[in-house]
Amino acid sequence: MSKQKRIAVDLEKIAHLVNISIPVLCLVFALLGYFVSFYFHFLTVGFVLLTGLNFFFRHVQKKHALLSNFGLVAQLRYMLESVGPEFRQYLYSSDTEEKPFSRTERSEIYQKAKGIDSSSAFGSQLLFDEYEIKLRHSMFPKNKKDIPTYKLVLGEERGIDSAYTLKKTIMISAMSYGSLGRNAIQALARGAKRAGVVMNTGEGGFPKYHLMEGCDLIFQMGTAKFGVRNQEPTLNEAKLEALAAHETIKMIEIKLSQGAKPGKGGLLPKEKITQEIAELRGVPMGKDVVSPPHHEECVDIASTVKFIRRVQEVSQLPTGIKLCLGQDQELRALVREMKSQSVFPDFLSIDGAEGGTGAAPKSFMDDVGVPLFHALPVVTRILIEEGVKNRMKLLCAGKLINPGKQFMAFSMGADAVYTARGFMLAIGCIQALQCNKNSCPVGITTHVEHLQGGLDIENKAQRVVNYVNSLEHDHIEMLAAMGESSVRDLTFDHIYWEGKY
């Protein structure tokens, strides 16, 4: 099936033309000024300045990937963006209308990542009606100094020596090398190391660029088992054991399904497959890489639980599962089988149907799976009713880019939260919606060399640190306001939801 092309300005071709034209016109006007009329030199001076400015944008400054990749054409974008609020107010969408994240939501993350004030004025732009979810504050806020440092130990229920302690409430969600380019992966990993957060590798095979920066990692095993597979997509225990021996790989996550396309395997378009990615994943060039819809070993509830035990025993690391909730009764049956076999994952990651991805069928992205804030209460209830809430930690993901949404998840039972797109925004994502095209203009979800080159690893790593620090600050502020000492103390009583008290 051919892919439909959307009508759009080809920024890359325009920038290429402009970048060549400016110095050429500078030379033309210089020659005209010398041979025809001195007055042409006024234009020469102007184009000399433009040439120097364009050189500075493209080859000297490192803060803005768009400027590095496109020069003056990108500066025009920033100029238009600066008057965007006025244009949108009268002609286009409002600050709260854009999807999947509004400009208001994105601006908050940009400000946090840059380490600047993210406060706003004159009241919220959101609607306040019976469908709102809000957090309940306390009449008697706590002193922030009395709030202890966060700590969550994964694997303690099994008493394993390799139990891992989370020291932050936030984690970088699964993003593979393939979905993201190497510079983006290294920036996130370097920032994760400095910020003290753990990073999920995604299902991209051997995590070469994740490992390079020395941050703590969760190795994700997708249904294709890239990096730990036999020729067919079954588990190669020797490869898993060797990979788990890496000092920075702290946990294993078995991905059963993901929110953006539950019931289907991962998808990496052929446009994004380089020779290196093909080698790391063990796949051919020139073909879309489509993972199986389920693990070969997991054909029913009983075999799925046995597979969890097998991965735990081989890796000797805290091991969890990731899934998007579908049918409630299937999850309850899975939990009961865990009880029957006395096998429990060290953590359960719930991915909301609103989760993002580099590529997914639109029908699955829009219409399949349960959204996070509907799934979490169901999962929490099942775990409590089956008496196993204390046997595993509950993690979650699904548009949790800001502190408010994260605290709603905590109040619904989550012990810690993932975000992928929050960190993508932190390193400069502009929501261009080209993740599956290999043409990301800011160099994040592309393997095109000159586009990746605009993403400065060191600068973006610091933005990751700023984002984490800002979230941590806000979490403490919000805990104090709600009168609690830990996010694990939050319950449904801390939520106002759908007009019900």
Side-chain angles (χ1 to χ4, degrees):
M1 183 183 294
S2 62
K3 295 182 179 178
Q4 184 178 1
K5 292 185 178 180
R6 67 186 182 93
I7 299 174
V9 173
D10 193 329
L11 182 62
E12 189 170 356
K13 287 185 178 179
I14 292 175
H16 183 68
L17 178 62
V18 169
N19 292 337
I20 292 176
S21 299
I22 290 174
V24 169
L25 287 172
C26 180
L27 178 60
V28 168
F29 288 129
L31 292 174
L32 289 173
Y34 184 83
F35 291 108
V36 178
S37 170
F38 171 81
Y39 291 105
F40 280 105
H41 283 314
F42 289 106
L43 292 172
T44 303
V45 172
F47 276 86
V48 165
L49 293 175
L50 288 176
T51 301
L53 187 61
N54 202 36
F55 181 87
F56 173 80
F57 285 154
R58 298 184 64 208
H59 302 292
V60 179
Q61 70 83 32
K62 296 296 182 182
K63 290 186 177 181
H64 302 285
L66 276 177
L67 290 178
S68 293
N69 289 336
F70 302 108
L72 284 170
V73 171
Q75 183 60 39
L76 177 62
R77 177 195 178 276
Y78 287 126
M79 292 170 63
L80 291 173
E81 184 180 41
S82 69
V83 295
E86 289 78 10
F87 275 84
R88 289 193 305 278
Q89 182 177 3
Y90 296 107
L91 300 175
Y92 308 116
S93 61
S94 73
D95 283 349
T96 61
E97 286 180 341
E98 294 178 275
K99 302 296 181 186
F101 297 102
S102 70
R103 185 171 295 271
T104 298
E105 292 172 311
R106 300 199 313 271
S107 295
E108 179 185 3
I109 307 308
Y110 296 149
Q111 290 167 331
K112 289 181 182 300
K114 293 175 183 177
I116 61 178
D117 180 23
S118 61
S119 62
S120 57
F122 212 63
S124 173
Q125 296 185 53
L126 302 179
L127 296 175
F128 284 74
D129 56 32
E130 68 271 21
Y131 300 108
E132 286 293 306
I133 305 176
K134 297 297 180 187
L135 299 167
R136 297 180 184 274
H137 67 284
S138 171
M139 289 179 62
F140 307 100
K142 274 191 175 292
N143 190 321
K144 289 180 289 185
K145 296 179 180 179
D146 296 333
I147 296 177
T149 302
Y150 174 84
K151 184 174 74 171
L152 186 73
V153 183
L154 294 102
E156 64 179 348
E157 293 84 359
R158 290 194 292 135
I160 56 178
D161 294 336
S162 59
Y164 180 76
T165 302
L166 285 180
K167 298 179 181 177
K168 308 282 185 179
T169 52
I170 188 79
M171 300 174 291
I172 301 178
S173 195
M175 291 182 282
S176 67
Y177 173 54
S179 176
L180 271 56
R182 64 174 183 273
N183 282 19
I185 292 292
Q186 285 190 251
L188 290 168
R190 186 177 300 180
K193 171 73 172 178
R194 293 180 187 171
V197 297
V198 68
M199 181 178 184
N200 192 306
T201 65
E203 58 171 315
F206 184 79
K208 174 181 177 180
Y209 293 104
H210 293 82
L211 287 167
M212 286 176 65
E213 299 295 335
C215 69
D216 290 349
L217 296 171
I218 301 174
F219 176 75
Q220 186 182 83
M221 183 194 303
T223 54
K225 299 182 184 65
F226 297 126
V228 292
R229 62 182 277 166
N230 295 308
Q231 187 64 36
E232 67 281 2
T234 56
L235 179 62
N236 184 308
E237 294 187 359
K239 290 182 179 180
L240 175 59
E241 185 177 1
L243 191 141
H246 282 270
E247 183 181 357
T248 58
I249 294 182
K250 304 297 186 181
M251 291 177 276
I252 307 293
E253 182 179 77
I254 305 168
K255 189 183 86 168
L256 302 180
S257 62
Q258 69 181 97
K261 45 182 178 290
K264 288 187 69 67
L267 169 64
L268 185 65
K270 61 180 181 293
E271 293 86 356
K272 299 182 71 171
I273 301 174
T274 65
Q275 186 61 46
E276 183 178 41
I277 290 169
E279 291 172 0
L280 291 174
R281 296 196 179 202
V283 297
M285 295 278 290
K287 293 175 60 178
D288 291 345
V289 177
V290 182
S291 300
H294 64 84
H295 290 272
E296 288 289 322
E297 298 86 347
C298 302
V299 296
D300 54 24
I301 296 293
S303 59
T304 299
V305 176
K306 288 178 182 178
F307 186 64
I308 295 169
R309 182 201 295 272
R310 182 182 172 196
V311 175
Q312 288 176 333
E313 291 175 347
V314 173
S315 70
Q316 292 296 302
L317 293 176
T319 300
I321 58 174
K322 170 183 175 177
L323 59 86
C324 177
L325 182 66
Q327 300 177 34
D328 299 3
Q329 66 270 25
E330 287 187 339
L331 178 62
R332 189 179 293 275
L334 179 66
V335 171
R336 287 178 174 173
E337 185 64 25
M338 291 175 184
K339 293 163 63 178
S340 175
Q341 295 188 31
S342 192
V343 173
F344 296 90
D346 297 295
F347 58 91
L348 171 60
S349 299
I350 300 299
D351 203 19
E354 64 271 60
T357 185
K362 184 169 176 57
S363 56
F364 277 77
M365 190 176 286
D366 289 346
D367 300 315
V368 181
V370 180
L372 182 64
F373 287 166
H374 292 278
L376 263 181
V378 172
V379 174
T380 300
R381 187 185 73 245
I382 290 174
L383 295 180
I384 292 173
E385 289 175 354
E386 295 297 330
V388 299
K389 183 66 167 68
N390 63 340
R391 299 299 300 268
M392 67 191 82
K393 302 302 191 298
L394 185 57
L395 316 179
C396 68
K399 296 187 77 173
L400 302 178
I401 67 171
N402 57 43
K405 294 293 189 295
Q406 290 161 6
F407 262 59
M408 292 171 191
F410 293 138
S411 299
M412 295 177 194
D415 297 306
V417 296
Y418 277 123
T419 181
R421 287 172 290 181
F423 282 100
M424 289 176 67
L425 290 167
I427 64 171
C429 169
I430 59 171
Q431 197 169 280
L433 305 181
Q434 297 180 36
C435 305
N436 59 333
K437 306 291 187 183
N438 202 34
S439 56
C440 172
V442 293
I444 295 176
T445 61
T446 180
H447 303 286
V448 177
E449 287 295 331
H450 73 272
L451 293 176
Q452 286 196 92
L455 194 154
D456 184 72
I457 295 172
E458 178 60 27
N459 176 268
K460 302 306 183 186
Q462 185 57 47
R463 290 180 59 155
V464 170
V465 176
N466 293 342
Y467 178 50
V468 172
N469 290 343
S470 181
L471 287 176
E472 188 174 32
H473 171 268
D474 286 356
H475 283 188
I476 294 173
E477 294 272 339
M478 294 174 74
L479 269 177
M482 296 170 75
E484 299 295 349
S485 298
S486 169
V487 296
R488 301 190 72 193
D489 295 331
L490 300 177
T491 68
F492 286 99
D493 291 336
H494 292 95
I495 298 176
Y496 167 85
W497 195 358
E498 296 184 356
K500 298 177 182 178
Y501 285 86

